[in-house]
PDB file of all heavy atoms in Angstrom:
ATOM      1  N   TRP A  51     108.808 102.042  98.101  1.00 98.00           N
ATOM      2  CA  TRP A  51     109.536 103.167  98.437  1.00 98.00           C
ATOM      3  C   TRP A  51     110.847 102.583  99.279  1.00 98.00           C
ATOM      4  O   TRP A  51     110.618 101.821 100.207  1.00 98.00           O
ATOM      5  CB  TRP A  51     108.767 104.127  99.323  1.00 98.00           C
ATOM      6  CG  TRP A  51     107.743 104.924  98.541  1.00 98.00           C
ATOM      7  CD1 TRP A  51     106.353 104.650  98.549  1.00 98.00           C
ATOM      8  CD2 TRP A  51     108.004 106.055  97.830  1.00 98.00           C
ATOM      9  NE1 TRP A  51     105.766 105.641  97.794  1.00 98.00           N
ATOM     10  CE2 TRP A  51     106.799 106.541  97.310  1.00 98.00           C
ATOM     11  CE3 TRP A  51     109.080 106.843  97.548  1.00 98.00           C
ATOM     12  CZ2 TRP A  51     106.585 107.634  96.512  1.00 98.00           C
ATOM     13  CZ3 TRP A  51     108.935 108.001  96.687  1.00 98.00           C
ATOM     14  CH2 TRP A  51     107.728 108.356  96.143  1.00 98.00           C
ATOM     15  N   VAL A  52     111.954 103.179  98.898  1.00 98.00           N
ATOM     16  CA  VAL A  52     113.153 102.951  99.644  1.00 98.00           C
ATOM     17  C   VAL A  52     113.846 104.218  99.933  1.00 98.00           C
ATOM     18  O   VAL A  52     113.731 105.136  99.089  1.00 98.00           O
ATOM     19  CB  VAL A  52     114.098 102.098  98.731  1.00 98.00           C
ATOM     20  CG1 VAL A  52     115.544 101.852  99.376  1.00 98.00           C
ATOM     21  CG2 VAL A  52     113.531 100.703  98.341  1.00 98.00           C
ATOM     22  N   ARG A  53     114.499 104.348 101.038  1.00 98.00           N
ATOM     23  CA  ARG A  53     115.178 105.554 101.430  1.00 98.00           C
ATOM     24  C   ARG A  53     116.611 105.329 101.760  1.00 98.00           C
ATOM     25  O   ARG A  53     117.077 104.219 102.107  1.00 98.00           O
ATOM     26  CB  ARG A  53     114.414 106.313 102.555  1.00 98.00           C
ATOM     27  CG  ARG A  53     114.525 105.581 103.901  1.00 98.00           C
ATOM     28  CD  ARG A  53     113.535 106.356 104.957  1.00 98.00           C
ATOM     29  NE  ARG A  53     113.729 105.724 106.301  1.00 98.00           N
ATOM     30  CZ  ARG A  53     112.984 106.136 107.246  1.00 98.00           C
ATOM     31  NH1 ARG A  53     112.162 107.197 107.162  1.00 98.00           N
ATOM     32  NH2 ARG A  53     113.102 105.425 108.445  1.00 98.00           N
ATOM     33  N   GLN A  54     117.457 106.517 101.620  1.00 98.00           N
ATOM     34  CA  GLN A  54     118.837 106.492 102.046  1.00 98.00           C
ATOM     35  C   GLN A  54     119.148 107.703 102.798  1.00 98.00           C
ATOM     36  O   GLN A  54     119.120 108.863 102.288  1.00 98.00           O
ATOM     37  CB  GLN A  54     119.711 106.290 100.773  1.00 98.00           C
ATOM     38  CG  GLN A  54     121.244 106.179 101.154  1.00 98.00           C
ATOM     39  CD  GLN A  54     122.093 106.100  99.949  1.00 98.00           C
ATOM     40  OE1 GLN A  54     121.852 106.618  98.938  1.00 98.00           O
ATOM     41  NE2 GLN A  54     123.157 105.364 100.149  1.00 98.00           N
ATOM     42  N   ALA A  55     119.335 107.579 104.121  1.00 98.00           N
ATOM     43  CA  ALA A  55     119.709 108.642 105.064  1.00 98.00           C
ATOM     44  C   ALA A  55     121.124 109.051 104.717  1.00 98.00           C
ATOM     45  O   ALA A  55     121.902 108.302 104.107  1.00 98.00           O
ATOM     46  CB  ALA A  55     119.615 108.256 106.449  1.00 98.00           C
ATOM     47  N   PRO A  56     121.458 110.307 105.012  1.00 96.00           N
ATOM     48  CA  PRO A  56     122.833 110.806 104.580  1.00 96.00           C
ATOM     49  C   PRO A  56     123.908 109.936 105.230  1.00 96.00           C
ATOM     50  O   PRO A  56     123.943 109.586 106.452  1.00 96.00           O
ATOM     51  CB  PRO A  56     122.808 112.246 105.248  1.00 96.00           C
ATOM     52  CG  PRO A  56     121.435 112.603 105.319  1.00 96.00           C
ATOM     53  CD  PRO A  56     120.596 111.408 105.561  1.00 96.00           C
ATOM     54  N   GLY A  57     124.819 109.484 104.342  1.00 95.00           N
ATOM     55  CA  GLY A  57     125.912 108.593 104.725  1.00 95.00           C
ATOM     56  C   GLY A  57     125.602 107.211 105.117  1.00 95.00           C
ATOM     57  O   GLY A  57     126.363 106.480 105.646  1.00 95.00           O
ATOM     58  N   LYS A  58     124.293 106.910 104.915  1.00 97.00           N
ATOM     59  CA  LYS A  58     123.887 105.513 105.299  1.00 97.00           C
ATOM     60  C   LYS A  58     123.519 104.706 104.133  1.00 97.00           C
ATOM     61  O   LYS A  58     123.565 105.135 102.995  1.00 97.00           O
ATOM     62  CB  LYS A  58     122.718 105.601 106.238  1.00 97.00           C
ATOM     63  CG  LYS A  58     122.907 106.416 107.472  1.00 97.00           C
ATOM     64  CD  LYS A  58     123.877 105.851 108.479  1.00 97.00           C
ATOM     65  CE  LYS A  58     123.846 106.549 109.824  1.00 97.00           C
ATOM     66  NZ  LYS A  58     124.842 105.946 110.686  1.00 97.00           N
ATOM     67  N   GLY A  59     123.147 103.385 104.353  1.00 97.00           N
ATOM     68  CA  GLY A  59     122.721 102.477 103.307  1.00 97.00           C
ATOM     69  C   GLY A  59     121.287 102.651 103.034  1.00 97.00           C
ATOM     70  O   GLY A  59     120.492 103.437 103.492  1.00 97.00           O
ATOM     71  N   LEU A  60     120.889 101.730 102.028  1.00 98.00           N
ATOM     72  CA  LEU A  60     119.435 101.707 101.564  1.00 98.00           C
ATOM     73  C   LEU A  60     118.643 101.097 102.607  1.00 98.00           C
ATOM     74  O   LEU A  60     118.946 100.070 103.267  1.00 98.00           O
ATOM     75  CB  LEU A  60     119.327 100.766 100.310  1.00 98.00           C
ATOM     76  CG  LEU A  60     120.087 101.438  99.034  1.00 98.00           C
ATOM     77  CD1 LEU A  60     119.970 100.424  97.901  1.00 98.00           C
ATOM     78  CD2 LEU A  60     119.700 102.841  98.707  1.00 98.00           C
ATOM     79  N   GLN A  61     117.431 101.696 102.785  1.00 98.00           N
ATOM     80  CA  GLN A  61     116.433 101.208 103.806  1.00 98.00           C
ATOM     81  C   GLN A  61     115.131 100.976 103.131  1.00 98.00           C
ATOM     82  O   GLN A  61     114.595 101.913 102.635  1.00 98.00           O
ATOM     83  CB  GLN A  61     116.362 101.989 105.049  1.00 98.00           C
ATOM     84  CG  GLN A  61     115.348 101.469 106.059  1.00 98.00           C
ATOM     85  CD  GLN A  61     114.953 102.383 107.150  1.00 98.00           C
ATOM     86  OE1 GLN A  61     115.189 103.640 107.000  1.00 98.00           O
ATOM     87  NE2 GLN A  61     114.456 101.824 108.268  1.00 98.00           N
ATOM     88  N   TRP A  62     114.587  99.785 103.152  1.00 98.00           N
ATOM     89  CA  TRP A  62     113.250  99.485 102.576  1.00 98.00           C
ATOM     90  C   TRP A  62     112.136 100.142 103.515  1.00 98.00           C
ATOM     91  O   TRP A  62     112.261 100.019 104.686  1.00 98.00           O
ATOM     92  CB  TRP A  62     113.027  97.930 102.555  1.00 98.00           C
ATOM     93  CG  TRP A  62     111.814  97.542 101.868  1.00 98.00           C
ATOM     94  CD1 TRP A  62     111.622  97.178 100.556  1.00 98.00           C
ATOM     95  CD2 TRP A  62     110.615  97.196 102.503  1.00 98.00           C
ATOM     96  NE1 TRP A  62     110.268  96.783 100.316  1.00 98.00           N
ATOM     97  CE2 TRP A  62     109.656  96.806 101.500  1.00 98.00           C
ATOM     98  CE3 TRP A  62     110.141  97.312 103.818  1.00 98.00           C
ATOM     99  CZ2 TRP A  62     108.386  96.475 101.826  1.00 98.00           C
ATOM    100  CZ3 TRP A  62     108.822  96.938 104.092  1.00 98.00           C
ATOM    101  CH2 TRP A  62     107.889  96.624 103.111  1.00 98.00           C
ATOM    102  N   VAL A  63     111.239 100.882 102.776  1.00 98.00           N
ATOM    103  CA  VAL A  63     110.220 101.589 103.547  1.00 98.00           C
ATOM    104  C   VAL A  63     108.894 101.029 103.497  1.00 98.00           C
ATOM    105  O   VAL A  63     108.238 100.640 104.388  1.00 98.00           O
ATOM    106  CB  VAL A  63     110.259 103.070 103.094  1.00 98.00           C
ATOM    107  CG1 VAL A  63     109.040 103.861 103.802  1.00 98.00           C
ATOM    108  CG2 VAL A  63     111.453 103.783 103.439  1.00 98.00           C
ATOM    109  N   SER A  64     108.366 100.749 102.248  1.00 98.00           N
ATOM    110  CA  SER A  64     106.980 100.339 102.104  1.00 98.00           C
ATOM    111  C   SER A  64     106.798  99.714 100.719  1.00 98.00           C
ATOM    112  O   SER A  64     107.542 100.256  99.737  1.00 98.00           O
ATOM    113  CB  SER A  64     106.087 101.449 102.343  1.00 98.00           C
ATOM    114  OG  SER A  64     104.697 101.070 102.269  1.00 98.00           O
ATOM    115  N   VAL A  65     105.773  98.926 100.583  1.00 97.00           N
ATOM    116  CA  VAL A  65     105.450  98.386  99.245  1.00 97.00           C
ATOM    117  C   VAL A  65     103.900  98.300  99.112  1.00 97.00           C
ATOM    118  O   VAL A  65     103.209  98.261 100.130  1.00 97.00           O
ATOM    119  CB  VAL A  65     105.980  96.922  99.017  1.00 97.00           C
ATOM    120  CG1 VAL A  65     105.404  95.980 100.104  1.00 97.00           C
ATOM    121  CG2 VAL A  65     105.912  96.339  97.587  1.00 97.00           C
ATOM    122  N   ILE A  66     103.422  98.408  97.849  1.00 97.00           N
ATOM    123  CA  ILE A  66     101.997  98.281  97.538  1.00 97.00           C
ATOM    124  C   ILE A  66     101.904  97.414  96.311  1.00 97.00           C
ATOM    125  O   ILE A  66     102.644  97.592  95.262  1.00 97.00           O
ATOM    126  CB  ILE A  66     101.333  99.605  97.302  1.00 97.00           C
ATOM    127  CG1 ILE A  66      99.784  99.392  97.157  1.00 97.00           C
ATOM    128  CG2 ILE A  66     101.999 100.449  96.177  1.00 97.00           C
ATOM    129  CD1 ILE A  66      98.990 100.751  97.265  1.00 97.00           C
ATOM    130  N   SER A  67     100.989  96.473  96.242  1.00 95.00           N
ATOM    131  CA  SER A  67     100.774  95.584  95.147  1.00 95.00           C
ATOM    132  C   SER A  67     100.053  96.428  93.987  1.00 95.00           C
ATOM    133  O   SER A  67      99.543  97.431  94.243  1.00 95.00           O
ATOM    134  CB  SER A  67      99.979  94.408  95.487  1.00 95.00           C
ATOM    135  OG  SER A  67      98.705  94.729  95.881  1.00 95.00           O
ATOM    136  N   GLY A  68     100.048  95.812  92.801  1.00 92.00           N
ATOM    137  CA  GLY A  68      99.558  96.527  91.565  1.00 92.00           C
ATOM    138  C   GLY A  68      98.001  96.691  91.625  1.00 92.00           C
ATOM    139  O   GLY A  68      97.600  97.851  91.597  1.00 92.00           O
TER     140      GLY A  68
END
Side-chain angles (χ1 to χ4, degrees):
Chain A
W51 288 100
V52 175
R53 68 185 182 184
Q54 184 177 34
K58 303 292 187 182
L60 299 176
Q61 181 188 20
W62 185 90
V63 173
S64 183
V65 64
I66 185 167
S67 65

